[in-house]
Amino acid sequence: MTSADPERSSEARAAAELALLRVVGPYGATPEFVLLGGLVPQLLCSVSPYRHAGTTDVDVQVDLEIASGATNAGRLEQALTEAGFTPDDERVWRWQLRTARGHKAEIKFELLADLDTEPQGATVMFDGSQRLGAANLRGTGYASKDAHERTLHAVDADVARSAVILVTGVAGFLMAKVAAAAGRRKPRDWYDIAFVLLHNDAESNGADVVRAPFPNAAADARTWLVDLRANFADLASQGTRAYADQFLLDHPEEDPAQIAADGMLAVTAFCDRLLAVGA
């Protein structure tokens, strides 16, 4: 990853947030999808002096939308279309938008479900829609079980926009990300987990925050947590390096050894405390 990565910049984040607000407008109410993914850390770490890298992806968990049936499917599909998004030809759970803002980022609006009735990785079609679907990914359901209303703001061609949306909290975010990290092993997931553990506004141990809404988290997610712990086992581990590399791109003035140690210790302590409860 380099500092020129278009998916990791404050400009890309601003474009993605504006695109999200443009979807909420024509939806006509507070959507029942829940925001998770790379736009969330900055919201959860709003008082931190450190800046999260951001993303051009808008990931939303849609179990509540699916449960509401065809009415919500039609409303969401229309809102995406009016906001300028078009469906991917092969992946109906991904809608795309090319924006002229800044470096002309491609915004991806991705719909994720966590349904026990469908296999992992399956595409779930919305009732009454031929173009709207969701990728069924285990662990994303934690986001909808820890959802909180937030008001987002953006400036659109010198016009201030705001909208109330559901955003996952620290517990839902961490559990969904732990699952994602185990499933796809992407550096951005390890970075996001460590960043939120270190800089979230709750200012308390991440394991305690998770156990409050999810008392069975250790047992339910043991395999994921063991995998995460292994990827932050020492300073040379790939999770530790992923966190330090991205953090130092955004904050090159910081000490590399200290940043790596902070990430390693935060994640291992989080995993150890949860795993100890579930042992």
Side-chain angles (χ1 to χ4, degrees):
M1 184 177 294
T2 70
S3 57
D5 185 346
E7 293 190 357
R8 289 291 187 178
S9 71
S10 58
E11 188 178 47
R13 176 190 174 81
E17 286 184 331
L18 176 56
L20 172 60
L21 264 61
R22 286 176 172 171
V23 171
V24 176
Y27 189 96
T30 299
E32 293 191 63
F33 60 68
V34 180
L35 184 67
L36 75 162
L39 285 180
V40 172
Q42 193 64 43
L43 298 174
L44 300 179
C45 306
S46 62
V47 300
S48 171
Y50 296 108
R51 182 180 67 255
H52 182 263
T55 180
T56 56
D57 292 348
V58 180
D59 297 335
V60 297
Q61 215 288 334
V62 294
D63 285 0
L64 300 176
E65 294 278 0
I66 292 172
S68 296
T71 298
N72 273 28
R75 182 160 57 180
L76 180 53
E77 184 171 348
Q78 182 178 352
L80 284 164
T81 301
E82 290 187 25
F85 282 90
T86 57
D88 185 287
D89 291 337
E90 298 180 357
R91 292 162 289 193
V92 293
W93 46 267
R94 172 180 290 170
W95 289 57
Q96 298 166 311
L97 169 69
R98 292 290 298 177
T99 174
R101 184 186 179 112
H103 55 262
K104 299 183 179 180
E106 181 179 70
I107 310 299
K108 296 188 292 291
F109 194 104
E110 300 189 348
L111 294 86
L112 311 174
D114 188 359
L115 304 180
D116 293 337
T117 55
E118 299 291 337
Q120 165 77 2
T123 297
V124 181
M125 296 302 301
F126 281 68
D127 289 343
S129 174
Q130 297 298 316
R131 302 193 305 162
L132 192 66
N136 201 52
L137 300 180
R138 296 287 178 256
T140 63
Y142 284 103
S144 287
K145 295 173 184 175
D146 183 32
H148 308 270
E149 285 192 352
R150 284 179 176 259
T151 302
L152 299 190
H153 304 275
V155 177
D156 187 1
D158 297 325
V159 176
R161 285 180 178 262
S162 64
V164 176
I165 66 168
L166 294 174
V167 179
T168 191
V170 172
F173 177 84
L174 288 173
M175 290 300 291
K177 274 290 180 177
V178 168
R184 62 188 186 183
R185 316 187 73 77
K186 288 191 175 182
R188 66 185 181 186
D189 293 324
W190 293 317
Y191 162 76
D192 287 344
I193 292 168
F195 190 96
V196 169
L197 283 172
L198 284 163
H199 304 295
N200 72 82
D201 296 345
E203 296 183 346
S204 58
N205 180 274
D208 294 337
V209 173
V210 165
R211 279 199 298 263
F214 305 122
N216 297 321
D220 295 342
R222 182 173 182 80
T223 300
W224 301 337
L225 290 165
V226 169
D227 182 80
L228 178 63
R229 176 67 172 80
N231 282 292
F232 282 83
D234 53 44
L235 295 176
S237 297
Q238 57 187 352
T240 306
R241 295 199 311 271
Y243 170 68
D245 288 349
Q246 179 59 61
F247 190 94
L248 291 166
L249 283 177
D250 300 318
H251 302 282
E253 72 282 0
E254 297 295 325
D255 176 59
Q258 185 63 58
I259 294 304
D262 289 346
M264 178 190 71
L265 293 172
V267 175
T268 55
F270 168 71
C271 294
D272 287 347
R273 288 192 65 160
L274 281 180
L275 290 169
V277 172

